[in-house]
Amino acid sequence: MEAIKTCTSLVKVFFQVCYFYLKLGFIHLARWYEPALRKKGNYNHAIVILGDDHAMGVGGYSTIPGGSGITQKLGKELAKEASIRQNWQIYNRGEYKTSTEDWLLPADSKRKDKPTLLTKVLQDPKYIKAEIVIVMLGSQDVLQRNPSLTPEDTLRNLENICQALRKTGNQEKSIYLCSLPTAGDDTVISEEQQADNLTRNRLIQEYIAANEEGVIQGLQLDLASNFEYKRRNLYWQDGRHFSDIGYGKMAKDWVPLIRPDMIKREFSLFRSDLGL
C-alpha cells in the first residue's frame, strides 16, 4: 500500500513538472508571435514589462494573440477603460529564473560571463518606443549562489538597471518598480533569507521615496506591505508564482496606478498633433 502511494506521488510530481515546462514553452511561443509594433498613425503607445518569473507570467495562462501573465490581463483591463482613447501595446520581456545580476549592462556586471538581457531589450524597437516600463525583478536574488547577492547588491543592481532604462529610448518614459513578492518564502527559504527579502523590499521603498532618478512605486506585491496578496488562490500550485487569478488581480490594481500617466501622455500627444 505504501509503495502505491509513493508511486502515485511520483507520477503526480512528474506530470506537474511536465505541465510546468509546457507552460514555459507556450509563453515563449506566445512571445514569438507577439503583435508587431504599430507604426501607422500617430496615436500609438507602448508599455514594456521586464523582470523575472513574475514578469514572464509563469503560473498564469498564455494565449498567442494576448501574451502571458500580466501582459494579457492588463491589456484586457485597459480595453474596458473609457478614459483610455488611444492604442496601447504591451510587451512582455520577463525571463525565467533571472536575478538582478542577469539584467545588468555588461559594464556594470562583475561576472566573467557578462549578462546580455538588458542590452537586447535596450536595442529592441518596441522598447525604444515604450513610454511606460514596469520592472518586476529581485525575487530570485535570494536563491543566487557563486556569488550570492545581498540585499544591498540587489538595490545597487536595480539602481543601475533603472539608470540604464532612463538613459536609453524615450527620455520621458515612466519607470515603475515593484516590490518583491514574498508569498511562499516560508516554505522554500530559511528565516535568514526571509529577513533578507524583507530588507530588500525596505531598501527598494527607501530608494523610490528618495526619488533621485524619478523611479515610481509600482505594485507592492510583498505580504508585509499588502495584505490583499495573502489569498491562496492568487498563487499557482507551488504557492510562489502567481496564478491566472493572481495576474487578474494585479492587472486590476495596475489600472488606477498607471491610468493618470496614460491619460496625460494621450492628451500631450493629441495637443502636439493639433500643434497646440
Side-chain angles (χ1 to χ4, degrees):
M1 192 68 178
E2 192 65 33
I4 294 176
K5 288 182 178 179
T6 302
C7 183
T8 302
S9 178
L10 289 173
V11 170
K12 286 182 178 179
V13 170
F14 172 75
F15 279 108
Q16 284 179 349
V17 171
C18 290
Y19 179 55
F20 181 76
Y21 281 101
L22 182 63
K23 288 170 73 69
L24 283 181
F26 201 84
I27 288 173
H28 283 288
L29 181 64
R31 185 176 300 178
W32 183 268
Y33 285 99
E34 71 179 6
L37 183 66
R38 289 194 179 98
K39 296 181 179 179
K40 292 183 178 180
N42 294 329
Y43 302 117
N44 297 313
H45 308 264
I47 298 173
V48 169
I49 301 170
L50 62 84
D52 53 28
D53 306 24
H54 303 298
M56 188 178 188
V58 174
Y61 291 115
S62 305
T63 62
I64 289 178
S68 59
I70 186 64
T71 306
Q72 177 191 138
K73 298 296 185 180
L74 183 56
K76 290 182 177 180
E77 290 300 320
L78 291 176
K80 302 174 185 177
E81 288 293 311
S83 57
I84 305 299
R85 304 294 184 97
Q86 298 173 16
N87 177 64
W88 288 82
Q89 292 178 274
I90 308 172
Y91 297 104
N92 187 325
R93 289 298 176 267
E95 294 291 343
Y96 181 55
K97 281 191 174 181
T98 51
S99 69
T100 56
E101 186 75 22
D102 296 317
W103 279 92
L104 290 174
L105 290 176
D108 295 326
S109 176
K110 299 177 181 178
R111 297 191 325 199
K112 291 183 179 179
D113 53 329
K114 299 298 183 181
T116 60
L117 292 175
L118 186 56
T119 301
K120 291 178 180 178
V121 168
L122 296 181
Q123 295 171 347
D124 188 337
K126 294 169 183 175
Y127 166 77
I128 294 173
K129 172 74 174 178
E131 295 173 65
I132 293 176
V133 178
I134 294 172
V135 180
M136 302 175 65
L137 193 58
S139 63
Q140 291 292 323
D141 285 21
V142 71
L143 303 174
Q144 296 302 300
R145 297 289 182 272
N146 301 319
S148 59
L149 295 174
T150 66
E152 291 73 22
D153 291 331
T154 297
L155 179 63
R156 189 182 310 111
N157 290 345
L158 287 172
E159 288 177 345
N160 286 330
I161 292 165
C162 289
Q163 288 171 6
L165 292 171
R166 172 67 63 208
K167 294 175 182 177
T168 313
N170 189 324
Q171 298 297 307
E172 302 299 323
K173 74 172 72 65
S174 296
I175 301 171
Y176 292 83
L177 179 59
C178 301
S179 66
L180 280 60
T182 54
D185 278 4
D186 56 336
T187 62
V188 296
I189 59 178
S190 67
E191 291 185 2
E192 181 180 357
Q193 290 173 316
Q194 292 176 54
D196 282 346
N197 271 350
L198 290 175
T199 302
R200 285 183 173 91
N201 281 323
R202 176 178 58 79
L203 292 174
I204 289 172
Q205 288 185 353
E206 291 174 356
Y207 165 63
I208 294 172
N211 202 31
E212 295 178 357
E213 296 166 6
V215 177
I216 305 169
Q217 176 71 64
L219 291 186
Q220 291 184 297
L221 301 171
D222 57 298
L223 302 186
S225 300
N226 195 340
F227 70 92
E228 292 184 4
Y229 282 86
K230 291 185 178 181
R231 288 163 37 197
R232 180 63 185 86
N233 68 338
L234 297 180
Y235 302 94
W236 196 54
Q237 298 171 8
D238 60 2
R240 286 177 60 80
H241 292 101
F242 289 99
S243 66
D244 207 51
I245 295 173
Y247 283 113
K249 173 172 173 49
M250 286 172 59
K252 291 178 181 178
D253 290 347
W254 268 115
V255 171
L257 187 60
I258 63 174
R259 179 172 50 209
D261 195 356
M262 297 173 72
I263 293 173
K264 180 182 70 175
R265 293 177 182 281
E266 289 189 358
F267 185 64
S268 176
L269 183 59
F270 182 66
R271 283 174 57 90
S272 175
D273 197 43
L274 293 177
L276 299 177

